[in-house]
Amino acid sequence: MNIIFLGPPGAGKGTQAQRVCEELNIPQISTGDILRRAIKEETPVGLKAKAFVESGALVPDEILVEIIKDRLAQDDCSKGYILDGFPRTVPQAEALEKIAKIDVVVELAVDDEALIRRLSGRRVCLKCGATYHVSTLGDRTTCEKCGETLIQRKDDNPETVKNRLDVYHSQTAPLIAFYEGKGLLKTFDGMQDIDAVYASIMGTLRALA
Ligand code: ADP
Ligand code: ADP
Ligand code: ZN
């Protein structure tokens, strides 16, 4: 199954996508993770993307479409995948239609106040992409899955978070109507706890399979 996870920053896309991918044994394609790695390694894409990512703006569509084209052409995508963080604009969604057949769009709905709480306490593992929250980490400073030291993302500061929420509402939220019009949209209440959200998503995906 080819799945898109759609929702504002902090909605739980990465958290849920990682679990669903493990369960279904398909790759999680997180464009945020791909860009952060490219920035860290100072690749040509990373150098172009850095200023956009750090200010909370979107990286230009051409760059993202190129990244996704290359990634979807890899062998491990043949049995399905989750796109986590792509598409984020209508032009990206239109470009995707030319290279992939999407089966379902999982939308996570969460209100802005909760998003700000979640993003300000988020800790991430840059090595494997796992996501945590300070409220449940205790004194743990390393990744449970791979042992890497956890970090706070530079763009998870209050000022940049505000930009990212504005960008979401103006540039990404139109995709909700776009996919609803194609009959692909399934909306979930992302305000529930992590296990409850996961159970609803899996219930829907199993019914579709
Ligand atoms: P996204 O990928 O949509 O930006 P993440 O999966 O990184 O969101 O989650 C953002 C933050 O919120 C993380 O700190 C994560 O641990 C926490 N989180 C995720 N889902 C929930 C949930 N259902 N309830 C409370 N906190 C959550
Ligand atoms: P979040 O988990 O908060 O939703 P991501 O990790 O998905 O954020 O993305 C982080 C940043 O990477 C975005 O703010 C943006 O600058 C860039 N980015 C990621 N995916 C895309 C995309 N599809 N189009 C443009 N920019 C993107
Ligand atoms: Zn890790």
Side-chain angles (χ1 to χ4, degrees):
M1 221 182 321
N2 301 337
I3 309 167
I4 290 172
F5 272 41
L6 180 63
K13 300 181 299 297
T15 302
Q16 298 296 336
Q18 184 161 32
R19 284 181 70 167
V20 174
C21 282
E22 274 167 23
E23 177 68 24
L24 300 181
N25 201 19
I26 54 175
Q28 173 188 1
I29 302 175
S30 159
T31 46
D33 285 352
I34 292 171
L35 290 169
R36 279 184 289 280
R37 263 180 227 128
I39 291 170
K40 201 173 174 202
E41 289 164 14
E42 301 183 338
T43 68
V45 163
L47 294 175
K48 279 188 220 156
K50 187 172 164 65
F52 295 103
V53 172
E54 287 183 354
S55 66
L58 294 181
V59 176
D61 290 335
E62 317 78 81
I63 298 181
L64 267 296
V65 171
E66 213 44 51
I67 289 175
I68 285 295
K69 262 190 197 161
D70 288 352
R71 185 63 189 86
L72 295 187
Q74 289 172 27
D75 289 346
D76 65 338
C77 291
S78 62
K79 290 206 187 79
Y81 46 80
I82 291 182
L83 292 176
D84 161 15
F86 183 95
R88 258 179 157 93
T89 64
V90 172
Q92 288 181 16
E94 287 168 345
L96 180 64
E97 287 193 311
K98 299 198 181 103
I99 53 173
K101 194 195 154 292
I102 296 303
D103 298 299
V104 59
V105 177
V106 169
E107 187 213 350
L108 295 176
V110 174
D111 62 48
D112 279 11
E113 216 179 300
L115 295 172
I116 291 166
R117 251 195 330 271
R118 290 183 185 184
L119 292 170
S120 59
R122 174 160 67 181
R123 295 293 180 273
V124 299
C125 172
L126 281 188
K127 194 169 171 193
C128 78
T131 305
Y132 302 85
H133 194 273
V134 286
S135 59
T136 52
L137 265 178
D139 12 330
R140 201 182 168 89
T141 56
T142 55
C143 179
E144 228 166 48
K145 292 179 195 277
C146 76
E148 184 83 355
T149 299
L150 300 176
I151 60 137
Q152 176 164 32
R153 277 169 46 176
K154 267 195 198 154
D155 60 343
D156 279 347
N157 72 74
E159 190 54 32
T160 313
V161 163
K162 198 190 160 296
N163 286 347
R164 286 158 61 209
L165 291 177
D166 290 346
V167 165
Y168 175 77
H169 291 299
S170 62
Q171 301 192 57
T172 307
L175 292 178
I176 297 170
F178 180 93
Y179 285 117
E180 192 164 38
K182 296 184 186 292
L184 294 177
L185 189 75
K186 301 281 179 196
T187 301
F188 297 86
D189 175 9
M191 297 292 288
Q192 305 172 88
D193 67 43
I194 292 176
D195 290 342
V197 177
Y198 176 70
S200 340
I201 295 173
M202 281 312 299
T204 298
L205 295 181
R206 287 210 175 91
L208 288 174

